[in-house]
Amino acid sequence: MSASIADTINSMTQILRIDSSARHSDSVSRELADRLIARLGAATTGDIDVTIRDLSTGVPQLSESTLGAMWTPADDRTDDQNAELADADAAIAELFAADAIVIGLPIYNFGPPASLKAWADLVARAGTTFRYTADGPVGLVPNKPVYVVVASGGVPVGSPMDFSSTWITTFLGFLGLTDVTIIAADQLNIDPEGALATARDRVDQIALASV
């Protein structure tokens, strides 16, 4: 962890928490996110506000009208187009306001939950969260620590079957968020106690490293 990122953790006041598990009770990604936020809170010098975006409650899907609103310059949008983008605008504002981000990512059928992909589609906006240049796309979201808790029943995180952690890391980097830490609780159906113990220990190590 770089000195600047450690300083950010020590002084942060705002955490954005994004949950994507369809489960609320017995959700490993939610349990580990709880643990991580509690540990990070203990490592800071002040109070922390946590903004929670629970994607399991529903995420607007992209539509032709949504895309039309996104591609219309802000000053030229109609009231209907502004209303169409209200959820996306709020999600983007949360990304910019946070000092750190915690994402709960269960692996469903080798990939991320549909709700997390829908969230990504809402916050990826040319000219706002990224821009195109002659040298390729450049992320516009200020870099900050991002912790992704990945939970899987059978898929080993980082293996060729894992299309979740590689996707989220690539997507976040596209927005400018390159300081991404993956916390894996994988193959829970094979060794649930061992996998969870390893993930909990990883959470605790991260918090200790930030002090």
Side-chain angles (χ1 to χ4, degrees):
M1 181 182 297
S2 68
S4 60
I5 293 297
D7 290 342
T8 297
I9 292 173
N10 291 333
S11 61
M12 68 183 174
T13 60
Q14 186 70 45
I15 291 178
L16 171 61
R17 172 176 177 165
I18 300 171
D19 288 307
S20 62
S21 175
R23 302 170 66 188
H24 286 256
S25 60
D26 300 322
S27 166
V28 170
S29 64
R30 290 177 187 270
E31 176 199 322
L32 292 172
D34 286 341
R35 187 184 187 95
L36 177 59
I37 290 171
R39 298 294 191 274
L40 291 176
T44 63
T45 57
D47 295 330
I48 292 180
D49 291 325
V50 180
T51 297
I52 300 175
R53 180 164 285 267
D54 192 340
L55 305 180
S56 70
T57 62
V59 184
Q61 302 292 307
L62 286 184
S63 65
E64 184 174 5
S65 59
T66 307
L67 291 173
M70 286 182 174
W71 296 337
T72 300
D75 292 340
D76 296 333
R77 290 178 193 142
T78 65
D79 290 342
D80 287 343
Q81 286 179 318
N82 285 325
E84 186 83 30
L85 294 180
D87 286 325
D89 287 343
I92 289 171
E94 290 167 357
L95 280 178
F96 279 89
D99 297 314
I101 302 170
V102 175
I103 300 175
L105 170 54
I107 294 179
Y108 292 161
N109 301 312
F110 309 107
S115 61
L116 189 59
K117 178 58 169 65
W119 170 85
D121 290 339
L122 289 182
V123 301
R125 187 184 301 177
T128 302
T129 55
F130 71 93
R131 63 184 175 90
Y132 292 112
T133 73
D135 297 321
V138 175
L140 300 178
V141 180
N143 197 22
K144 61 200 68 180
V146 183
Y147 305 95
V148 183
V149 178
V150 184
S152 80
V155 173
V157 171
S159 74
M161 293 187 293
D162 171 18
F163 298 101
S164 291
S165 64
T166 50
W167 167 76
I168 192 65
T169 302
T170 300
F171 176 73
L172 292 170
F174 179 74
L175 301 185
L177 298 167
T178 58
D179 195 274
V180 180
T181 299
I182 299 292
I183 301 167
D186 54 356
Q187 297 187 288
L188 288 159
N189 290 340
I190 298 171
D191 180 13
E193 293 183 3
L196 194 51
T198 297
R200 287 170 176 161
D201 183 60
R202 175 72 171 133
V203 166
D204 294 345
Q205 289 176 2
I206 289 170
L208 284 173
S210 68
V211 176

